[in-house]
Amino acid sequence: MGEVEVTQPAHTSNSTAPPPNSPLPTPPSLPPQQTRPTPPTPPDTRRTAFAEGADRLRAAATTEPGRLRIIGAVLALLVVAFGAVTAWQVTERAAAADDVLTSSQPLSSDAADIYRSLADANTAASSGFLAGREETGVNRVRYEKGIRTAAEKLVNAAANSDPDSPSAATIAELNRLLPEYKGLVEQARTYNRQGFPVGGAYLRYANEKMQEQMLPKAEDLYTRENQRLREDYAAATPYPWIAIALGVVALAALGWAQHRNYRRTNRVLNHGLVAATATAVVVLLWLVVGHSVARAGLNDSYDHGVRSLNVLHDARIASLKARGNENLTLVSRGAQTKKVGEETYDAYDYEFEREMKTLGKGLTLAEGLADDRAGEQPVTAAVGNMTEWRKRHAAARAEDENGEYQQALDRVIGAKGTTGECFDSVDANLAKALEHETTEFKSAAGGGLDAMTGLSTGAAVLAVLGAAGAVLGIGRRLSEYR
């Protein structure tokens, strides 16, 4: 057979094939790729944690376990809040009561002692001046004791007052005036012993400095310290109404939770909730009873302690000022006069009568405030001493007005039957009454403070235990759903 030639069909193409061994054509360049803009990031649509929590809370509230958890949390929060507020309010009142007992009342008494000591020193100085060269050591000792006591009380008051307070400025001024007063008294004493009449002028000048500058400043200090004492009482005695209200709310919530538990389970008691209720009841009763006892003690310490002390201090100061004016009546020998209406009086004798009226009113008030025989007896004795003092003073004034100066002097500072004896008896009896009332004050105020002892700590501890009981009680119910 002959060979058959197979003919390959030619490939048909729209383009002409390149000749053999010719270089490949370069592919056409593509246009640069366009950068597509990045779409903006959508805003964060995530909800706040509070909103999400509220949603979860609403979702949980649709189930009984969720509702129980909410109830447990609220009960625990209420009990803890009750304990915390109780501890806070009781602590504040206990601190104020402690200030009454250990700070403000002692400082008030110190201020009164400053006033009394200055007046006592002034009285002793005038008595010593009247004695002249025959001045007894008793008067000198009394004068020095009054000056020393005033200086010591001023130092104590300065240490317990705020540096920039008005009281501190008053104390500084008294510390400045005290040496000036002492210098005038020493000059008066020196000239008097030498027989120079100018000694009387120095003593009158010293008395003016005391009466017009020092005693008013001491009285101002006394007034400020008494105001501070009243403020401490005002902070210590009010009922802690916020704590009491929270306690009532906590108990109501606990009662509602137990009633709800009973309706749903027919179980009368839930041990945890009962324990929480018991602790809340204990704290509330402790708070109300304890504070009521404390309040009663503090009010008693004010009514039968502070008020009596203030009246007795005022009466004692009035007696000292009356005695000083009585002495100065003889020192001045009518040189100082005072016109009242159409009448002219000896200035110092007029002030004597005015102070004796103040003394009489103070003793009458002190008798009414005394709540036992021990407090009333020295005041009654002082009233008798004051009555006799008036009689002897009237006799001395009659002698002086008749020109019998020496006889009048003997009736005032003599050896026996003098007005000085009556003054000393009044002062001694008032000092005894002051000592008794100070003891009464400390007893009543200390009892009030003791009634609050441990209450703040106990309330905090019991509140924590009560909150734990509420959580455990609710947890016991939750365990039934697992």
Side-chain angles (χ1 to χ4, degrees):
M1 291 180 63
E3 294 182 0
V4 180
E5 182 178 355
V6 179
T7 305
Q8 180 116 359
H11 179 70
T12 304
S13 176
N14 294 332
S15 60
T16 305
N21 300 325
S22 65
L24 294 173
T26 303
S29 61
L30 297 174
Q33 185 177 2
Q34 298 291 331
T35 303
R36 186 174 296 176
T38 304
T41 304
D44 189 4
T45 58
R46 182 179 178 184
R47 305 179 66 196
T48 63
F50 178 79
E52 292 180 355
D55 286 343
R56 286 195 296 269
L57 190 62
R58 279 193 293 268
T62 61
T63 65
E64 181 61 13
R67 285 191 287 268
L68 287 173
R69 290 188 181 93
I70 294 171
I71 291 171
V74 171
L75 291 177
L77 181 62
L78 279 174
V79 174
V80 169
F82 171 43
V85 173
T86 298
W88 162 55
Q89 292 200 298
V90 169
T91 299
E92 281 192 338
R93 284 155 177 76
D98 184 67
D99 285 341
V100 166
L101 182 62
T102 63
S103 178
S104 52
Q105 196 284 324
L107 283 176
S108 176
S109 291
D110 282 348
D113 284 341
I114 291 171
Y115 194 113
R116 184 195 59 78
S117 298
L118 291 174
D120 197 14
N122 197 49
T123 299
S126 61
S127 297
F129 185 90
L130 284 175
R133 296 178 182 179
E134 299 177 0
E135 179 183 8
T136 63
V138 174
N139 276 331
R140 184 68 180 178
V141 168
R142 186 167 188 166
Y143 167 79
E144 294 292 347
K145 180 182 179 181
I147 294 295
R148 185 172 60 252
T149 300
E152 290 173 353
K153 297 295 184 180
L154 283 170
V155 170
N156 188 46
N160 289 280
S161 62
D162 296 331
D164 298 327
S165 66
S167 294
T170 301
I171 293 167
E173 187 67 11
L174 284 170
N175 277 321
R176 182 186 67 80
L177 291 170
L178 189 59
E180 295 179 8
Y181 171 80
K182 287 178 62 180
L184 290 171
V185 170
E186 291 305 321
Q187 285 180 298
R189 182 177 281 119
T190 299
Y191 286 125
N192 189 45
R193 286 176 178 173
Q194 295 173 359
F196 296 146
V198 72
Y202 272 102
L203 185 65
R204 288 193 298 273
Y205 185 35
N207 180 70
E208 288 176 5
K209 185 177 285 290
M210 176 65 73
Q211 298 290 344
E212 297 176 8
Q213 297 183 54
M214 299 177 71
L215 289 182
K217 290 185 182 299
E219 185 176 11
D220 183 56
L221 179 64
Y222 178 50
T223 301
R224 284 201 185 97
E225 294 303 331
N226 267 345
Q227 178 60 32
R228 178 180 170 184
L229 176 59
R230 286 192 292 271
E231 289 172 357
D232 285 337
Y233 268 106
T237 53
Y239 274 104
W241 291 115
I242 298 176
I244 292 173
L246 269 174
V248 172
V249 171
L251 283 174
L254 287 165
W256 172 83
Q258 290 176 87
H259 180 67
R260 180 182 185 276
N261 183 60
Y262 170 72
R263 285 191 296 105
R264 290 177 177 270
T265 64
N266 286 327
R267 295 172 185 167
V268 177
L269 298 177
N270 178 293
H271 294 166
L273 293 179
V274 169
T277 304
T279 57
V281 169
V282 169
V283 173
L284 186 59
L285 287 176
W286 191 0
L287 173 63
V288 173
V289 174
H291 190 271
S292 296
V293 173
R295 178 187 172 93
L298 289 169
N299 286 337
D300 185 60
S301 73
Y302 187 84
D303 292 335
H304 300 290
V306 173
R307 288 182 62 198
S308 294
L309 287 171
N310 289 342
V311 169
L312 290 169
H313 279 305
D314 291 342
R316 197 177 186 192
I317 289 168
S319 72
L320 287 164
K321 292 171 76 172
R323 178 60 176 173
N325 284 309
E326 182 179 49
N327 291 338
L328 287 167
T329 302
L330 295 176
V331 171
S332 67
R333 300 192 181 189
Q336 300 290 325
T337 59
K338 183 181 184 72
K339 192 169 184 178
V340 181
E342 298 297 326
E343 299 291 332
T344 300
Y345 300 91
D346 181 285
Y348 295 114
D349 191 52
Y350 181 85
E351 292 299 320
F352 168 84
E353 292 295 339
R354 193 167 69 90
E355 295 300 338
M356 289 299 282
K357 289 178 182 177
T358 301
L359 173 60
K361 291 178 181 177
L363 291 177
T364 301
L365 186 56
E367 275 189 300
L369 289 173
D371 58 348
D372 57 14
R373 181 62 181 165
E376 184 181 0
Q377 185 175 5
V379 179
T380 303
V383 172
N385 301 144
M386 181 194 68
T387 303
E388 182 62 25
W389 185 1
R390 280 185 172 278
K391 292 179 182 178
R392 295 183 184 184
H393 174 79
R397 289 301 300 143
E399 296 279 9
D400 189 32
E401 289 173 357
N402 289 331
E404 302 293 338
Y405 178 79
Q406 187 58 48
Q407 285 84 341
L409 187 63
D410 290 341
R411 288 182 181 276
V412 174
I413 62 168
K416 190 175 180 180
T418 64
T419 59
E421 292 176 352
C422 298
F423 161 71
D424 289 338
S425 297
V426 168
D427 191 66
N429 281 310
L430 288 177
K432 185 178 180 181
L434 280 166
E435 183 179 358
H436 172 76
E437 295 301 333
T438 299
T439 302
E440 292 289 300
F441 161 79
K442 290 181 178 179
S443 175
L449 180 60
D450 290 342
M452 289 187 280
T453 301
L455 178 52
S456 58
T457 302
V461 172
L462 288 173
V464 172
L465 293 176
V471 171
L472 290 174
I474 296 297
R476 181 66 182 269
R477 284 282 293 119
L478 282 171
S479 65
E480 298 172 2
Y481 289 89
R482 294 171 188 157

